[in-house]
Amino acid sequence: ARGTADGDGPRNMSQKDQEQDWPKQDMESGTLTALAHLYRAEVFRSTHWRTRLDNTTNWAVVTTGIALSATFSNKEASPLPMVLVGLLVTVFLIFEARRYRYYNMFRARARLMETDFYAPILAGGKVPMRGSWATMLSDDYEMPHYHISLVRAAGRRLRSNYSWILAIQAVAYYGKLAIHPVPLTSLADVFQRAAIGPIPGWTVMLAGLVFHTSWVVFAIVTLRLDKLYREKRRSPMQSI
């Protein structure tokens, strides 16, 4: 075996063994260097957009925290901030879905190079310069396009982060109605506390129920879409 105590390490391998374990690639060293820099660039861009995703999530968390503080600051405080923050979180989710589409595009390119270029080299294989991976990558550079729809992107971010934020918002809202200004004694009190100006309380609560139920349905439907899309994908870049 190579690398034993007899001194038969990598430095003492014969040229024949080196060529067998690490075959010479079909591309020039300059091309390999360019691809290495290209991979670093794609990783940098995907990391940059990943940071922007985190920023949007932070906005949603902070605004929800502010709404919680305002709503539970005293017994007479209105639960309206918890209603409004639900709309703000929805806007942040749309922003984040748009950013996720950019992140997904750059991450797909980096992932393609990892699986079809670097992995075969590390396994001791030869990578053809004109392989399918190179064709897919060049086509994506010539005609850049998103690899995921806005709907599916929103579904992924909803299932990853925003479902928890919306759940906290819902629990906090109904919890506020239940305990302030005094603990509930009848169902009629709930409707009275939920009323917003001329809008009846039952209308507000029904709208909230529809709002949160629709997000649950949206998460389930987009999850199924993701699974169907992966089954029918035509390129490894579409599986990210």
Side-chain angles (χ1 to χ4, degrees):
R2 301 186 183 90
T4 61
D6 296 333
D8 190 16
R11 294 183 180 179
N12 298 320
M13 291 172 59
S14 66
Q15 184 176 358
K16 182 179 180 181
D17 289 338
Q18 290 180 5
E19 292 178 354
Q20 181 179 357
D21 290 350
W22 299 98
K24 186 177 180 180
Q25 299 299 321
D26 294 333
M27 55 189 75
E28 298 178 355
S29 60
T31 304
L32 289 171
T33 302
L35 287 172
H37 286 297
L38 179 63
Y39 173 72
R40 291 177 59 189
E42 294 300 342
V43 170
F44 172 79
R45 289 200 285 186
S46 64
T47 302
H48 169 73
W49 282 97
R50 185 68 182 86
T51 302
R52 297 194 68 180
L53 292 178
D54 293 338
N55 289 340
T56 317
T57 304
N58 290 340
W59 297 346
V61 172
V62 169
T63 53
T64 302
I66 293 173
L68 284 169
S69 299
T71 302
F72 289 92
S73 59
N74 61 73
K75 293 182 178 181
E76 302 300 328
S78 170
L80 182 59
M82 295 309 305
V83 176
L84 298 178
V85 79
L87 302 178
L88 273 177
V89 169
T90 301
V91 173
F92 292 145
L93 175 58
I94 296 173
F95 288 167
E96 188 158 325
R98 293 175 58 189
R99 294 180 175 187
Y100 183 84
R101 299 180 78 191
Y102 283 99
Y103 163 76
N104 179 266
M105 178 173 61
F106 300 130
R107 178 56 186 153
R109 292 174 181 173
R111 186 58 181 159
L112 179 64
M113 285 189 278
E114 289 171 356
T115 58
D116 288 33
F117 179 69
Y118 286 106
I121 291 178
L122 293 173
K126 297 183 69 174
V127 180
M129 183 59 192
R130 298 186 178 181
S132 59
W133 69 274
T135 302
M136 287 185 289
L137 196 58
S138 63
D139 290 345
D140 198 61
Y141 278 118
E142 289 179 357
M143 297 187 64
H145 62 280
Y146 297 119
H147 300 287
I148 186 173
S149 66
L150 183 65
V151 171
R152 288 175 53 221
R156 288 188 182 183
R157 302 314 297 166
L158 174 64
R159 294 190 299 272
S160 298
N161 295 331
Y162 284 78
S163 57
W164 301 103
I165 299 174
L166 290 170
I168 292 173
Q169 181 254 343
V171 171
Y173 174 74
Y174 292 110
K176 171 68 176 181
L177 298 181
I179 64 174
H180 286 168
V182 294
L184 283 176
T185 56
S186 67
L187 190 60
D189 292 339
V190 178
F191 297 139
Q192 182 178 358
R193 296 177 185 181
I196 300 177
I199 305 176
W202 67 269
T203 303
V204 176
M205 294 192 66
L206 179 61
L209 181 62
V210 171
F211 176 78
H212 288 284
T213 303
S214 64
W215 283 123
V216 174
V217 174
F218 183 79
I220 296 173
V221 170
T222 52
L223 177 61
R224 293 180 61 86
L225 285 176
D226 257 353
K227 291 181 178 179
L228 291 174
Y229 195 85
R230 286 195 175 102
E231 292 174 358
K232 298 179 180 179
R233 69 180 185 269
R234 299 179 181 178
S235 164
M237 297 181 71
Q238 297 174 345
S239 63
I240 304 299

